[in-house]
Coordinates of all heavy atoms in Angstrom, one line a residue:
V1 N -89.9 139.0 -133.0 CA -88.9 138.1 -132.6 C -89.6 137.0 -131.6 O -90.2 137.5 -130.4 CB -87.8 139.0 -131.8 CG1 -86.7 138.0 -131.4 CG2 -87.4 140.0 -132.9
P2 N -89.4 135.8 -131.9 CA -89.9 134.8 -130.9 C -89.1 134.8 -129.5 O -88.0 135.3 -129.5 CB -89.6 133.5 -131.6 CG -89.4 133.8 -133.0 CD -88.9 135.1 -133.0
E3 N -89.8 134.4 -128.4 CA -89.1 134.4 -127.1 C -87.9 133.5 -127.1 O -87.1 133.7 -126.3 CB -90.1 134.0 -126.0 CG -91.2 135.1 -125.8 CD -92.2 134.7 -124.7 OE1 -91.9 133.5 -124.0 OE2 -93.2 135.3 -124.4
T4 N -87.9 132.5 -128.0 CA -86.9 131.5 -128.0 C -85.6 132.1 -128.6 O -84.5 131.4 -128.6 CB -87.3 130.2 -128.7 OG1 -87.8 130.5 -130.1 CG2 -88.4 129.4 -127.9
T5 N -85.7 133.2 -129.4 CA -84.6 133.7 -130.1 C -83.7 134.7 -129.2 O -84.3 135.6 -128.5 CB -85.1 134.5 -131.4 OG1 -85.8 133.7 -132.1 CG2 -83.8 135.2 -132.0
E6 N -82.4 134.4 -129.1 CA -81.5 135.2 -128.3 C -81.4 136.6 -128.9 O -81.3 136.7 -130.1 CB -80.2 134.6 -128.1 CG -80.4 133.2 -127.3 CD -79.0 132.6 -127.2 OE1 -78.5 132.1 -128.2 OE2 -78.5 132.5 -126.0
V7 N -81.3 137.7 -128.1 CA -81.2 139.0 -128.7 C -80.0 139.6 -127.9 O -79.9 139.5 -126.6 CB -82.4 139.9 -128.5 CG1 -82.1 141.3 -129.0 CG2 -83.6 139.2 -129.2
E8 N -79.1 140.0 -128.6 CA -77.8 140.7 -128.0 C -77.8 142.2 -128.6 O -78.0 142.4 -129.8 CB -76.5 140.0 -128.4 CG -76.3 138.6 -127.9 CD -76.1 138.6 -126.4 OE1 -76.0 139.6 -125.7 OE2 -76.1 137.5 -125.8
I9 N -77.5 143.0 -127.6 CA -77.5 144.6 -128.0 C -76.0 145.0 -128.1 O -75.2 144.6 -127.1 CB -78.1 145.4 -127.0 CG1 -79.7 144.9 -126.8 CG2 -78.1 146.9 -127.4 CD1 -80.5 145.0 -128.1
L10 N -75.6 145.5 -129.2 CA -74.2 145.8 -129.4 C -74.0 147.4 -129.5 O -75.0 148.0 -129.9 CB -73.6 145.3 -130.8 CG -73.9 143.8 -131.0 CD1 -73.1 143.5 -132.4 CD2 -73.3 143.0 -129.9
S11 N -73.0 147.8 -128.9 CA -72.7 149.4 -129.0 C -72.8 149.7 -130.6 O -72.4 148.9 -131.4 CB -71.3 149.7 -128.4 OG -70.4 149.2 -129.2
G12 N -73.1 151.0 -130.9 CA -73.1 151.4 -132.3 C -71.9 151.2 -132.9 O -71.6 150.9 -134.0
G13 N -70.8 151.6 -132.2 CA -69.4 151.6 -132.7 C -68.9 150.0 -133.0 O -68.5 149.9 -134.1
L14 N -69.2 149.2 -132.2 CA -68.8 147.8 -132.4 C -69.7 147.2 -133.7 O -69.0 146.5 -134.4 CB -69.1 146.9 -131.1 CG -68.8 145.5 -131.3 CD1 -67.4 145.3 -131.6 CD2 -69.2 144.7 -130.0
F15 N -70.9 147.4 -133.6 CA -71.7 147.0 -134.8 C -71.2 147.5 -136.2 O -71.0 146.6 -137.1 CB -73.1 147.5 -134.6 CG -74.1 146.7 -135.6 CD1 -74.9 145.7 -135.1 CD2 -74.2 147.1 -136.8 CE1 -75.7 144.9 -135.9 CE2 -75.1 146.4 -137.8 CZ -75.7 145.3 -137.3
R16 N -70.8 148.8 -136.2 CA -70.3 149.3 -137.4 C -68.9 148.6 -137.7 O -68.7 148.4 -138.9 CB -70.1 150.8 -137.3 CG -71.4 151.7 -137.3 CD -71.2 153.1 -137.4 NE -70.8 153.7 -136.2 CZ -71.6 154.1 -135.1 NH1 -72.8 153.9 -135.3 NH2 -71.0 154.5 -134.1
E17 N -68.2 148.3 -136.8 CA -66.9 147.6 -137.1 C -67.2 146.2 -137.7 O -66.4 145.8 -138.5 CB -66.1 147.5 -135.7 CG -65.4 148.6 -135.3 CD -64.5 148.3 -134.0 OE1 -63.8 147.4 -134.0 OE2 -64.7 149.0 -133.0
L18 N -68.2 145.5 -137.1 CA -68.5 144.1 -137.6 C -69.1 144.2 -139.0 O -69.1 143.1 -139.6 CB -69.5 143.4 -136.5 CG -68.7 143.2 -135.2 CD1 -69.8 142.8 -134.2 CD2 -67.6 142.3 -135.2
S19 N -69.9 145.2 -139.3 CA -70.7 145.2 -140.4 C -69.8 145.2 -141.7 O -68.7 145.8 -141.8 CB -71.6 146.4 -140.4 OG -72.2 146.6 -141.7
D20 N -70.5 144.5 -142.7 CA -69.7 144.5 -144.2 C -70.3 145.5 -145.0 O -69.8 145.6 -146.1 CB -70.0 143.1 -144.7 CG -69.2 141.9 -143.9 OD1 -68.2 142.1 -143.6 OD2 -69.8 140.8 -143.8
T21 N -71.2 146.3 -144.6 CA -71.7 147.4 -145.4 C -71.2 148.8 -144.9 O -70.8 149.0 -143.8 CB -73.3 147.4 -145.3 OG1 -73.7 147.7 -144.0 CG2 -73.8 146.0 -145.7
I22 N -71.3 149.7 -145.8 CA -70.9 151.1 -145.6 C -71.8 151.8 -144.7 O -71.3 152.5 -143.8 CB -70.7 151.8 -147.0 CG1 -69.6 151.2 -147.9 CG2 -70.3 153.3 -146.6 CD1 -69.4 151.8 -149.2
T23 N -73.1 151.6 -144.9 CA -74.1 152.2 -144.0 C -74.9 151.2 -143.4 O -76.0 150.8 -143.9 CB -75.0 153.2 -144.7 OG1 -75.5 152.4 -146.0 CG2 -74.2 154.3 -145.4
P24 N -74.4 150.6 -142.3 CA -75.1 149.4 -141.7 C -76.6 149.8 -141.2 O -76.8 151.0 -140.8 CB -74.3 149.2 -140.4 CG -72.9 149.8 -140.7 CD -73.2 150.9 -141.6
Q25 N -77.5 148.9 -141.3 CA -78.9 149.1 -140.9 C -79.2 148.8 -139.4 O -80.1 149.0 -138.9 CB -79.8 148.2 -141.6 CG -79.8 148.6 -143.2 CD -80.8 147.8 -143.9 OE1 -81.7 147.1 -143.3 NE2 -80.7 147.8 -145.2
G26 N -78.1 148.2 -138.7 CA -78.1 147.9 -137.3 C -78.6 146.7 -137.0 O -79.0 146.4 -135.7
V27 N -78.9 145.8 -137.8 CA -79.5 144.4 -137.6 C -78.7 143.3 -138.3 O -78.3 143.4 -139.4 CB -81.1 144.4 -138.1 CG1 -81.6 143.1 -137.8 CG2 -81.9 145.5 -137.5
M28 N -78.3 142.3 -137.4 CA -77.5 141.3 -137.8 C -78.0 140.0 -137.1 O -78.5 140.1 -136.0 CB -76.0 141.5 -137.6 CG -75.0 140.7 -138.2 SD -73.3 141.1 -137.8 CE -73.3 142.8 -138.3
A29 N -77.9 138.8 -137.8 CA -78.3 137.6 -137.1 C -77.5 136.4 -137.4 O -77.0 136.3 -138.6 CB -79.8 137.3 -137.5
A30 N -77.3 135.5 -136.5 CA -76.7 134.2 -136.7 C -77.9 133.1 -137.1 O -78.9 133.1 -136.3 CB -76.0 133.7 -135.5
V31 N -77.9 132.7 -138.3 CA -79.1 131.9 -138.9 C -78.7 130.4 -139.2 O -77.6 130.2 -139.6 CB -79.4 132.7 -140.1 CG1 -80.7 131.8 -140.9 CG2 -79.8 134.0 -139.8

């Protein structure tokens, strides 16, 4: 991860709510 890339840590529960997959891998990005 480059230093210029912002990183946000989400709670596991919130990430699972946001994910479109049944078994989230825990990584998402705005690209």
Side-chain angles (χ1 to χ4, degrees):
V1 183
E3 292 183 3
T4 54
T5 300
E6 296 178 290
V7 178
E8 295 287 356
I9 305 298
L10 311 186
S11 68
L14 178 59
F15 193 99
R16 287 188 288 275
E17 283 185 50
L18 295 171
S19 175
D20 292 321
T21 62
I22 297 173
T23 54
Q25 295 181 21
V27 180
M28 195 181 297
V31 177

